[in-house]
Amino acid sequence: MIDLDGILPVLKPAGWTSHDVVAKVRGLIRMKRIGHTGTLDPAVTGVLPLCLGRATRLVEYLQELPKEYEAVLRLGIATDTEDLTGEVIERLDPVEVTEEQVQEVIQSFVGTIEQVPPMYSAVKVDGKRLYELAREGKVVERKSREVTIYKIEVLQIQLQGPEPEVHLRVLCSKGTYIRTLCVDIGKALGVPATMASLVRTMSANMTREHGLTLEQIAEYKQQGSLHEHLIPMDVSVSHLPAHTIAADKAYQAVQGQKISGIAVSPVVDVPGCIRLYSPEGQFYGIFERKPDETFIRPVKVFLP
């Protein structure tokens, strides 16, 4: 039986929670050890990478990578959930903004910004999820937090009609709420706003082109070819530099021992995590050089 150790990029359908998707895939491939790399709201579709088997040990590294979304920002309407699943709390008609104003305001959000998590979110306050408090009709004070918007591309602007829309592509850091970004853009324009739709187009460096539907996963599993569609563990962390261990130190690496930074090629001369390979190209795992140290230490070792 072929081991399913790797990353399975699922295309999450609308109406499913991330937990629903994990449970469904567990049933399809008969595997318990599955973890995801960041939740998506039920109404949101798109890329949801699942880590299978030993690859669950890489979740923390994949979660930290930038994510890309395509969103529709609707002006002239605000809801209590910051998207169209909620109750309308404000309307404005007509909305009087220009294309130039929209472009200028949107680009002002690029960089490190402060966001206040929405009440309908999974953030915990005093041990309770915000969405649980929101469903009880409560609004509590939330601390703002820093997130990074690396890039916003305006794909389309449609300003005619009572509820103008702007289509955006956003590249952002972990923890960014696109709903809140839409609302904050509206505030900066001086009009109510909400997020009309959202698709995650990239997560953990995996795009929609890599993604599989639940139907495809079931089909490939039945055919015995699902392993051919997994992203290999080392490829999933390709943002970490690759180094090769010297042949006479390979045994130490497999045993998870500390290794001199000069025993690998290229030499590890700066702090940080690396991918370590055998002389034959086998992935040994993630090692790290800490500041003020000359050796690399094991962080995640994947035995042959």
Side-chain angles (χ1 to χ4, degrees):
M1 183 176 177
I2 299 172
D3 290 331
L4 293 177
D5 291 323
I7 317 301
L8 179 64
V10 182
L11 293 175
K12 189 186 89 64
W16 291 58
T17 67
S18 299
H19 179 76
D20 291 338
V21 173
V22 171
K24 179 67 174 180
V25 173
R26 279 197 179 112
L28 287 174
I29 68 177
R30 295 178 176 83
M31 188 177 197
K32 290 184 177 181
R33 199 176 174 190
I34 300 178
H36 64 71
T37 60
T39 59
L40 286 175
D41 291 338
V44 180
T45 62
V47 183
L48 180 67
L50 301 186
C51 296
L52 310 185
R54 293 187 298 162
T56 54
R57 300 175 65 203
L58 298 175
V59 166
E60 62 192 277
Y61 299 95
L62 302 184
Q63 284 178 335
E64 297 299 321
L65 293 173
K67 296 171 173 58
E68 183 186 78
Y69 298 88
E70 288 183 8
V72 175
L73 160 63
R74 185 171 296 178
L75 301 173
I77 180 175
T79 69
D80 58 355
T81 59
E82 302 185 350
D83 62 15
L84 293 185
T85 66
E87 298 292 326
V88 176
I89 56 176
E90 187 180 358
R91 287 187 185 274
L92 176 65
D93 185 19
V95 175
E96 297 179 344
V97 294
T98 66
E99 249 188 65
E100 291 75 17
Q101 288 173 321
V102 171
Q103 290 275 12
E104 183 178 352
V105 164
I106 285 173
Q107 293 309 317
S108 72
F109 282 84
V110 175
T112 300
I113 62 173
E114 295 279 338
Q115 275 196 339
V116 176
M119 278 301 303
Y120 283 89
S121 66
V123 174
K124 282 188 176 181
V125 173
D126 295 330
K128 204 161 188 180
R129 303 283 186 186
L130 284 176
Y131 64 76
E132 294 173 341
L133 296 171
R135 288 168 184 165
E136 296 171 6
K138 299 176 182 178
V139 177
V140 298
E141 185 177 349
R142 290 97 70 201
K143 292 181 180 179
S144 66
R145 53 190 188 180
E146 283 190 350
V147 297
T148 302
I149 307 296
Y150 301 107
K151 182 180 180 181
I152 304 181
E153 183 181 355
V154 178
L155 303 177
Q156 184 181 356
I157 298 179
Q158 175 60 47
L159 296 182
Q160 287 71 39
E163 294 178 0
E165 291 187 340
V166 183
H167 294 233
L168 305 171
R169 181 179 293 128
V170 182
L171 183 66
C172 58
S173 67
K174 169 191 174 184
T176 303
Y177 284 95
I178 304 298
R179 285 180 286 153
T180 303
L181 177 65
C182 289
V183 170
D184 289 345
I185 288 172
K187 288 178 181 177
L189 286 166
V191 300
T194 194
M195 185 184 76
S197 68
L198 185 66
V199 179
R200 187 156 72 189
T201 53
M202 183 187 72
S203 179
N205 288 331
M206 297 167 209
T207 66
R208 283 181 289 193
E209 287 68 33
H210 296 108
L212 300 177
T213 65
L214 293 172
E215 292 76 17
Q216 287 174 314
I217 293 168
E219 180 183 349
Y220 294 144
K221 173 60 178 174
Q222 188 175 22
Q223 294 173 354
S225 62
L226 184 59
H227 64 282
E228 298 173 6
H229 300 272
L230 299 183
I231 307 296
M233 290 187 290
D234 62 321
V235 174
S236 73
V237 288
S238 59
H239 58 289
L240 302 177
H243 295 256
T244 301
I245 188 73
D248 62 342
K249 298 293 183 182
Y251 180 77
Q252 287 178 248
V254 172
Q255 295 300 311
Q257 298 177 21
K258 296 176 183 177
I259 300 165
S260 169
I262 62 174
V264 299
S265 177
V267 171
V268 182
D269 51 9
V270 295
C273 288
I274 66 166
R275 287 176 290 148
L276 191 64
Y277 292 86
S278 74
E280 296 74 35
Q282 184 170 12
F283 180 51
Y284 278 169
I286 297 174
F287 284 65
E288 180 184 15
R289 176 177 170 175
K290 292 185 176 293
D292 303 322
E293 292 181 349
T294 59
F295 54 84
I296 57 173
R297 62 175 71 228
V299 180
K300 307 280 183 180
V301 177
F302 298 93
L303 297 178

